[in-house]
Amino acid sequence: MHVGRVEVAVEAGGGTTVRPVGGAARPAGDLAEAVREFERDSPRWVWADTRVVYPGLLDAGLRVSRCHDLFLTEGLLLAAEGRSGEPRSAEAAYARLHGLPVPDERGVEVAGAQETLFEPARKDAAAAVSPSDLVREVHEDQRRRIAAHRDPARFGLLVAAESAGALIAAEMSHDGMPWREDAHDALLTDLLGPRPAHGMRPAKLQHLADQVSAAFGHPVNPDSPQQIVKAFKAAGSAVPSTRSHVLKQVDHPAVAPLLAYKELARLFSFHGWVWADQWVKGDRFRPEYVVAGVVSGRWATSGGGALQIPKVMRRAVIADDGWSLVVADAAQLEPRVLAAMADDRGLARAAGEIDLYAALAQAFGGVRESAKIALLSAMYGGTSGDAPKLLSVMRERFPQAYALVEDAAKSGEQGKLVHSWLGRTCPPPSHQWRELITSSQGARAARDRGRFTRNFVVQATAAEWALTMMAVLRGHLPHPAHLVFFQHDEIIAHTPAPLAGEVAAAVHHAAAEATRLLFGPTPVRIPMEIATVTSYADAK
DNA sequence: AACGGCAGCGCC
DNA sequence: AAAGGGCGCTGCCGTT
């Protein structure tokens, strides 16, 4: 199979220019036509921004196998060059290349209107260049910068995985996650009562709110932490906050209805009927994913709250008739990633087992929970409870893994940058931090950043493992199975039921392949827990 | 009326 | 002595 590169530039008028790398640019009336023509060779499509270009192709029923996203790559490169936060758009990259005024990233409209892609550049000094020359020059520049990276092979893998993520995010938004509106409505009605009129509380919520007021003997808004704190104080049960774990310690008749209210109110306002009206259409939930929306490379969402779906709501995620959901979860991903990164023999041996913490228990007095606390404290910077004692065991028994996170923390405390395994770089400390660090609060600021960088190296590497796994999986799914959800270390595929076994096999393959691509030969295994279900709620 | 910080809590 | 990482989203409430 020939795998070349084809650059694509979308003109302001909606026309398209394509240029096979090494060849000549030519107009291609319609991007879909160009994709139909070239895609049989599985080229790597080079374009300014997947969010702008790809949705139209998906609407036309087309998919591409790989791409190079200039926007996301620019973000990776800028961070690696210690310039996080500078505008990442191709226009901005072009302007920097030529010393021109750099357009603001916010000026780029990404709502799917192709016309707007080059508008900001047109308003600025980059206006003179044709879109196809802009794509060509920025692409060449990025390839130079990737080649100049201290580890181009790893960094190139990261660039490819990030770009694959952009394709997958667009495809997931296009396909949507199965979400049965009738099941969701039934679930809400069961928990809250029938859908209320606009601006009203559901019956059960109103009843609980009334019980809270009755318990205090006067009207109290259960949504107002201030009023709650005041009411408890007046009742002789002062509380420092209204967090549920605080309230649970209080002996007062308002506590029970208040806690019940808080739990249900959240479901009502976050994932209730109004939410469904906005985000669920035709039994599909279509969130907006933001690839690399988190500095660690994790995805974020810009709407729909897809990464915070409460477990109880998973009952509404139901496969189509005759189809299944294959729910796959990378178990204990972060400690395994730490073991592989640190090449720590003892930890890596434990990470060859299905239950890593159980395998470590022996080192921690035979207590699995202690092993878990030790590892989590090492990765998060925890110091409460038994953590200090358990961390000293960790330092003794798993010195290389311990040193890796300690070094990351020390670098952070000193204001240095740290990197993931493939070369994602954390942002530099803020200006305020640099001022704070010399003040009386300096020690605290240093510790806070140390915890951030300590966690960054592990979380970012876990994120790139997951991205790589997903990219491999995407290429191995049997048609018409497709990915419908991704949440940090968990992936869901929607598949005709008879193909579920093939999908599961593809998941196992993808996990092993991602581990090999990132870490090469290692005793560490990153096993996937897979459940084939009709409803997401039945996984786990 | 619009905006933004905060509290609180859901997910990993 | 204690001290936990990353997000998004909502309603409240003070500010403009």
Side-chain angles (χ1 to χ4, degrees), chain A residues 162 290-299 424 456 459-460 463-464 467:
Chain A
E162 191 99 305
V290 184
V291 175
V294 182
V295 291
S296 66
R298 280 183 170 184
W299 289 13
R424 193 184 302 271
F456 180 93
Q459 186 185 113
E464 62 207 19
L467 207 51

Side-chain angles (χ1 to χ4, degrees), chain A residues 395-406:
Chain A
R395 171 191 224 155
E396 190 85 1
R397 298 292 295 265
F398 310 107
Q400 284 167 284
Y402 184 84
L404 189 145
V405 288
E406 277 304 305

Side-chain angles (χ1 to χ4, degrees), chain A residues 15-257:
Chain A
T16 303
T17 305
V18 298
R19 190 183 79 93
V21 170
R26 64 170 173 80
D30 175 53
L31 178 54
E33 279 173 39
V35 168
R36 283 192 196 97
E37 177 187 342
F38 286 98
E39 182 60 23
R40 69 178 71 102
D41 292 329
S42 300
R44 187 174 295 281
W45 293 89
V46 180
W47 51 46
D49 192 331
T50 305
R51 300 171 300 173
V52 175
V53 177
Y54 200 35
L57 292 174
L58 292 169
D59 287 342
L62 296 167
R63 308 255 153 155
V64 303
S65 63
R66 64 194 82 214
C67 79
H68 174 102
D69 183 296
L70 295 176
F71 171 78
L72 291 171
T73 303
E74 191 66 20
L76 291 169
L77 285 165
L78 285 170
E81 293 155 1
R83 303 167 64 179
S84 301
E86 292 192 31
R88 295 170 286 174
S89 69
E91 299 77 27
Y94 180 88
R96 272 192 296 271
L97 206 48
H98 291 274
L100 300 169
V102 176
D104 190 324
E105 198 168 282
R106 289 170 307 178
V108 181
E109 174 61 59
V110 294
Q114 298 194 346
E115 296 74 31
T116 61
L117 176 54
F118 291 98
E119 290 286 320
R122 184 150 282 104
K123 287 174 197 140
D124 290 287
V129 68
S130 76
S132 84
D133 284 342
L134 185 150
V135 167
R136 178 176 54 76
E137 286 195 41
V138 172
H139 182 210
E140 283 174 2
D141 176 60
Q142 290 189 348
R143 294 190 76 180
R144 275 194 296 270
R145 288 152 74 198
I146 292 166
H149 191 273
R150 63 197 166 112
D151 194 330
R154 279 194 198 175
F155 195 73
L157 179 56
L158 177 58
V159 168
E162 191 99 305
S163 295
L167 296 178
I168 293 165
E171 289 165 1
M172 284 181 175
S173 290
H174 177 83
D175 294 335
M177 171 152 92
W179 188 287
R180 279 268 294 279
E181 295 172 78
D182 58 350
H184 182 227
D185 177 65
L187 182 62
L188 291 173
T189 303
D190 185 45
L191 292 167
L192 301 165
R195 179 173 188 167
H198 178 75
M200 302 289 286
R201 283 192 181 117
K204 288 204 186 171
L205 273 185
Q206 187 57 50
H207 180 62
L208 289 166
D210 293 342
Q211 284 185 300
V212 171
S213 290
F216 284 122
H218 60 92
V220 173
N221 179 357
D223 286 320
S224 168
Q226 286 181 22
Q227 289 187 31
I228 303 273
V229 168
K230 211 195 283 182
F232 273 114
K233 190 174 182 187
S237 307
V239 289
S241 76
T242 67
R243 291 179 190 172
S244 56
H245 69 266
V246 171
L247 295 182
K248 276 175 192 151
Q249 312 300 320
V250 178
D251 181 25
H252 188 279
V255 168

